[in-house]
Amino acid sequence: MENLDEKIEVHFEKLKESLANENINAFRTNFLDMHPYDQAEFFIEIEPSDRMLIYSYLSPEELAAMMEHIELEDIQPFFVEMDLNYASMVLGEMATDDAVDILNEMDKDKVVSYLTIMDEEEADEIKDLLHYEEKTAGSIMTTEFISVNKTQTVKETMVQLKKEGPDAETIYYLYVVDEEKKLVGVLSLRDLIISDDDVKIAELLNENVFYVSVAEDQEEVAQIMRDYDFLAVPVVDFQKHLLGIITVDDILDVIDEEASEDYSLLAGISDVDRPDINPLTAAKKRLPWLIILLFLGLLTASLIGQFEETLSKVTILSIFIPLIAGMAGNTGTQALAVAVRGLATGEYETDGKFKLILREAGTGLITGTVCGLIITIVIFLWQQNLYLGILVGLSIMATLIIATLAGSLIPLLMHRMNIDPAVASGPFITTINDIISVLIYFGLATTFMGLLL
Amino acid sequence: MENLDEKIEVHFEKLKESLANENINAFRTNFLDMHPYDQAEFFIEIEPSDRMLIYSYLSPEELAAMMEHIELEDIQPFFVEMDLNYASMVLGEMATDDAVDILNEMDKDKVVSYLTIMDEEEADEIKDLLHYEEKTAGSIMTTEFISVNKTQTVKETMVQLKKEGPDAETIYYLYVVDEEKKLVGVLSLRDLIISDDDVKIAELLNENVFYVSVAEDQEEVAQIMRDYDFLAVPVVDFQKHLLGIITVDDILDVIDEEASEDYSLLAGISDVDRPDINPLTAAKKRLPWLIILLFLGLLTASLIGQFEETLSKVTILSIFIPLIAGMAGNTGTQALAVAVRGLATGEYETDGKFKLILREAGTGLITGTVCGLIITIVIFLWQQNLYLGILVGLSIMATLIIATLAGSLIPLLMHRMNIDPAVASGPFITTINDIISVLIYFGLATTFMGLLL
């Protein structure tokens, strides 16, 4: 991307200069020449006073194009610092789905005042979308799509495209609806382009149109679009009325978001992808997990405390505690990751779950036996104590089997209880497995104490 | 997606019936009526003998459309079971980038025989792409794009589209090249559609065209396409000759692949997303990690063994081992996840790294102090032993600071050494931190032994 970086640097310098000189023409020429994403990068890094100048230099429409490229989490302060009228107009000019995302994060009062000032038609479209629940198809769809009628010709449709094209989110799919606005088919711009002018839409349309329900989970929609390589998918209500479309650029964001959510939870940290501005905000995100784990750790300690007599007689037992607890944690995390990903991709429908548990039991048995045997031999050679080797080996074996099962059963149970299984985060499973492993180890040691002394 | 599932079930039943009756016409009608993704789903689940029938029922072109929707990891056996001539023709009819991906996984001998039989023009295109290194822009690009000349009119270009459109990977972007095939601009189909017939391409093209180098990392390309909301991006060599394009459907796969790689490594498991067919294959993927960790765990055990004297005098020390080691592991994983994601998204360029380390040191100090204080108070109340409380509290504090730093420093060092930082997997960092924490804890305990007795 060398060519990009250089060009952008030059542009940024020029822009800063023209803002310093309050040279509106030079600024507009250079600014509007950039891609909206780069405009946004520039906009974010400058001083508030310079941003105020920009609000007076650019039309709401020009600013709206740039705003669509600012991350949702960072955008609110900019609207707050704008004049209320100007802010309403910017929101009105943005793609409806993006405007809705922004308003969804704001106070109700604020939203009402924006919508009151805004152009009525735009405000109505936004109000319709504000209802939809987060993370559903409805919440990420846009209402700026092109719909056509079966009876139109290719030529008529091209004329329509020239008119409606500039405002539509995509013109690469045209949706065919009947008189009641019910979806009856789809047509790609590609099909249109390669057809002759007087062909009727009825001859070109594909009635086998894929659609998603407005209440569908956004992750499901992403899966479909990835599998079928769609650039857009129509969204309908229960009577199959066409409500909106979801485009692939929104899906890229969904995939990114869901993946980083799973990743964050495996790491035991809320929201790994928001940049941490300072140590305090970073600590705030991590402390809740750490404190919960601290108390779970104290529970483990008090459980080991029950075996103090065993420990005081055979001190050497304690040196293997981190080994056994660590192995339990690791194997549990592996099983967890497999189960969480499998649930996310819909791999385990109905009977698949029982299969998963069986397979994990088998996997635990194999890994447990292998690791148990290795450790028995190593400890026997190292400590010259066969019984100790067998004790640790057996503990590792039992631990690995149970920890593997726990790692897959817990997310499955959470899934059944309609809790996102990814919430069964890595550290949580690890700590549960710590406790199980310590109980197995000291339980066995106490039972067979005679052999160890 | 209810409508999908039902339709597909009905189709699958009909298809199986027509295969059983060897009714070629019924099969073709129903099969070709489905989306290629669904065709692939059907194809994967049937018996080899039924697949043999399909190879004789469908043209190479028809089969190729379906093959593009089969996961790369699963596709090879199908080509092996086909007749060599038929297989070559299928590969020739597939999108060049997909055919190259498949050939890249095959033996050299096999590749040579396919390419020898194949149509020469196709074979040449494939040979050109086979050179590119894995995970670069070159390896995921396709050569089936539409390039136009500055001097053409809109009308001439539409005629060209009607001709070349059916074979192109996308017709939504047209790339403008000069006489030497160097990229000079881009034009979206949208711009073309909304312009009048006699306008020249020169008036419409955007010279500010974004392009990527053929050697660019695929993750960088994905980032660019996501940021700029591109549906396709052109790929050039060092002289800016246009070599190919990368489309958004390939980028969806890249994002998915990279995210699941990071996730797998955090969980300490190779390739979490390939379905595990049986416990043996699952165990094979997990055992390498587990065995490495087993030996690291033994190292921890032998280190604790050095403090056996301390342990035998103050048995109670051992009950806090899992707590301290666990906290070290958890906090290290958190820091690791933040650093790995930050490096993946290019957040820490040059000076950002030093900032990250400073911030993590600060974060460790805050979380360490908070957790250390809590544990001191709890242990004092529980065990009525202030010195023990202070010892464990201080250990937790020191451990959290060092483990947080280790969690961020290790991936940064690996990044500098050009190793993918995600390889510093969760369990690896956890075990390193286990060792550090145990040394701190017993070091402090041995030093201040007098106070504990």
Side-chain angles (χ1 to χ4, degrees), chain B residues 326-345:
Chain B
M327 290 300 285
N330 292 326
T331 193
T333 307
Q334 291 179 330
L336 169 75
V338 170
V340 167
R341 291 304 296 171
L343 287 169
T345 57

Side-chain angles (χ1 to χ4, degrees), chain B residues 16-47:
Chain B
K16 281 178 190 159
E17 214 181 286
S18 45
L19 281 177
N21 304 333
E22 303 201 12
N23 183 342
I24 174 165
N25 287 329
F27 177 80
R28 285 181 53 85
T29 311
N30 281 314
F31 190 79
L32 297 174
D33 198 32
M34 293 196 297
H35 187 284
Y37 174 76
D38 296 323
Q39 295 176 352
E41 294 286 290
F42 175 76
F43 181 79
I44 289 167
E45 75 171 53
I46 60 175
E47 299 295 317

Side-chain angles (χ1 to χ4, degrees), chain A residues 335-353:
Chain A
L336 168 75
V338 170
V340 167
R341 293 301 298 170
L343 287 169
T345 56
E347 210 181 291
Y348 314 119
E349 297 301 325
T350 56
D351 60 284
K353 282 175 194 161

Side-chain angles (χ1 to χ4, degrees), chain A residues 359 362-363 366, chain B residues 277-285:
Chain A
R359 193 191 68 209
T363 309
I366 298 171
Chain B
I277 295 101
N278 61 52
L280 203 66
T281 57
K284 260 193 210 155
K285 275 192 217 165

